Amino acid sequence: MRSPKESQVRKLPESGVSRRGFLQGVSLGGGALGAAVLERPAEAAQSGVVGPGEVSITLWVNGKEHELRVEPRVTLLDALRDRLGLTGAKRVCDRGTCGACTVLVEGKAVYACTTLAIDAQGKNIQTIEGMTRGSELHPVMKAFVNNDAQQCGFCTPGFVVAAKAFIDEHPNPTEEDVMNGLGGNLCRCGTYIGIRKAVVEAAKAMGGRNA
Amino acid sequence: MQAFEYANPKTLQEALGLLGSSWGEADVLAGGTDLLGLMKEYIHTPKRVVNIKGIKELGGIEKTSAGVRIGATVTVAELLSSGLIKSQFPALIQAAQGIASMQIRNMGSIGGDLCQRPRCWYFRSGYGLLAMKDGKSLVANGENRYHAIFGRAPAYFVSASSFGPALIALGAKVKLASQSGTRELPVAEFFVAPATEDDREIALKPNEILTEILVPAETTRNATYEVRQKEALDWPLATASVALKMDGGKVRSAEIVMGHVGPTPVRAPKAARSLTGKTINETVAEKAAATAVKGARPLSQNAYKVQLAKAAVKRALLRAVS
């Protein structure tokens, strides 16, 4: 893991070939993305009143510190996707109802669409991008592959993150426990049977450990 | 959502000073699970949002001489993991277990549950709390299958609170703070049926913050039973919470409160009194449940909720003594 001190301004995905980056590259030339100039980092919102205009905030995502300017109304999801290029968490219902935007804040699964970015400052935020170690898949991801636990795959990042949080708190779940525990995530393709099997398998592979 | 100022006070006094004197000026942010949705739909367009999660004194669950104090920003997940709550108040645990999803339970707070706005689809679509058009209720004359069976004109929405009925059954109070001081109110009086479009469905004033919930220590057999269409990500169709003070195997006194059937949680005092001196069994519970729903006045599409409420009361009573 990199040092959390490492400051990255509006960092784009490391590979440079994400689908989002590609689309921006061909349609917009990506020019606007380099335009951010931070004045003073992290002046924002420790107390007092800020906004409604842009405010400098600091987010700690996947072990890296990011400084960015957002209006207080920007959700954590939009900040992750549109400012930091972390497009794993998906914007689907945008109303805290489908789970596609699930990320971990201080280890707990939350809906990033229903969290204000400014409110997530100073907290340890983990997204699907932070779950792999190099090219090594997380045990939950491996189990999703093994059990064909996705069809179109759009809900999958949210499910994988939610499943990790669920296993951390329920290290030996049954399929019924998984059904109840992951009730906050929806799959319109209906791959629930595979997902339940995958989560049970992942929990076994993790051997009751948090990972 | 509309742009707003954001404040992150560290003390209650500071937070109270940031509130407005009328609704619409400022909204209080705790878990945000209701507020952000309201703002995205432009149902709430506050000029300022005051985050109260940074105020330490609004958190925590503690035993006091009078019972248990639950801070308003305690999350549903925190409540579920509290040994103190588990050992004394299964009615609260059972209400918490039904709440939407793991993510919502991690985010949403007990104070927020009490202050959340109704789920009435007319209200959520911008027709106002009472959904009146040309002097007529859109609810009474429209799509009302999830609406009140104990409603009275002009309020036909149902209170969305999961904890409200259980807290009323347990005789709990809420503490409301403003810059001029604090007041305590029985939870039963916290919920009010609004008479006009300018009223709210709770007694909280725009310059107040709900700071804590006080549940008395009295020993009761208590339980909550929810009837729901979906097991997750939805509000129940009808619930009941009961608290029974017992003399051995017999009921000394009872409280029965139904949820999601009226603009406030609905108490059933006659049904509760009918249990005095009795041992709860299937027949007694069934009879009390029938009494509890006697005054129901369903709308054109929701007569089925009368039976659901009745079943919830019966099952909550049986669960309390099981």
Side-chain angles (χ1 to χ4, degrees), chain A residues 122-198:
Chain A
K123 292 178 183 149
N124 179 11
I125 301 159
Q126 198 182 353
T127 70
I128 186 86
E129 288 88 347
M131 281 178 66
T132 45
R133 303 222 166 87
S135 59
E136 174 82 3
L137 293 183
H138 188 277
V140 175
M141 297 173 174
K142 281 186 202 160
F144 267 61
V145 175
N146 293 344
N147 290 278
D148 204 10
Q150 62 279 310
Q151 186 175 315
C152 84
F154 209 71
C155 69
T156 308
F159 259 110
V160 169
V161 174
K164 183 210 173 316
F166 172 74
I167 294 169
D168 285 348
E169 290 193 5
H170 305 86
N172 298 300
T174 62
E175 283 192 27
E176 201 184 334
D177 295 337
V178 178
M179 188 174 80
N180 295 328
L182 295 190
N185 291 67
L186 297 177
C187 168
R188 292 302 299 269
C189 304
T191 60
Y192 297 107
I193 292 171
I195 291 170
R196 279 174 220 152
K197 291 200 167 101

Side-chain angles (χ1 to χ4, degrees), chain A residues 45-50 52 72-73 94-95 97 102 109-111 113-115 118-119 162 180-181 183-186, chain B residues 1-8 10 14 18 29 32-33 36 40-41 51 53 101-104 106-107 231-233:
Chain A
Q46 287 317 303
S47 63
V49 180
V50 296
R73 64 175 161 172
D94 203 31
R95 294 292 184 280
T97 305
T102 302
V110 304
Y111 295 134
C113 76
T114 302
T115 304
I118 197 169
D119 197 9
N180 295 328
N185 291 67
L186 297 177
Chain B
M1 68 186 104
Q2 186 172 289
F4 52 79
E5 294 176 346
Y6 174 89
N8 193 27
K10 292 286 174 251
E14 207 187 321
L18 293 162
L29 171 70
T33 56
L36 262 70
K40 286 177 184 183
E41 301 291 355
N51 175 33
K53 287 190 295 301
S101 67
M102 168 174 66
Q103 291 90 331
I104 298 284
N106 284 337
M107 302 167 76
E231 287 181 25
L233 288 174

Side-chain angles (χ1 to χ4, degrees), chain B residues 181-262:
Chain B
T182 61
R183 58 181 178 131
E184 279 180 18
L185 209 60
V187 177
E189 291 169 31
F190 181 69
F191 295 98
V192 287
T196 75
E197 193 56 51
D198 297 328
D199 297 337
R200 282 270 167 121
E201 66 282 2
I202 53 174
L204 189 85
K205 296 198 177 112
N207 64 345
E208 286 180 321
I209 291 176
L210 193 167
T211 58
E212 59 194 46
I213 293 135
L214 306 157
V215 193
E218 277 173 302
T219 308
T220 60
R221 307 288 296 264
N222 58 82
T224 295
Y225 192 94
E226 295 191 336
V227 183
R228 42 174 65 241
Q229 186 172 21
K230 296 177 196 157
E231 287 181 25
L233 288 174
D234 205 355
W235 282 256
L237 295 168
T239 72
S241 293
V242 301
L244 310 170
K245 288 176 197 162
M246 306 293 287
D247 275 329
K250 294 207 161 78
V251 175
R252 176 154 39 96
S253 67
E255 184 74 66
I256 299 173
V257 188
M258 293 174 282
H260 298 265
V261 292

Side-chain angles (χ1 to χ4, degrees), chain B residues 147-171:
Chain B
H147 285 80
I149 52 172
F150 286 94
R152 296 284 182 275
Y156 293 107
F157 62 85
V158 297
S159 167
S161 172
S162 287
F163 290 118
L167 290 169
I168 294 171
L170 294 167

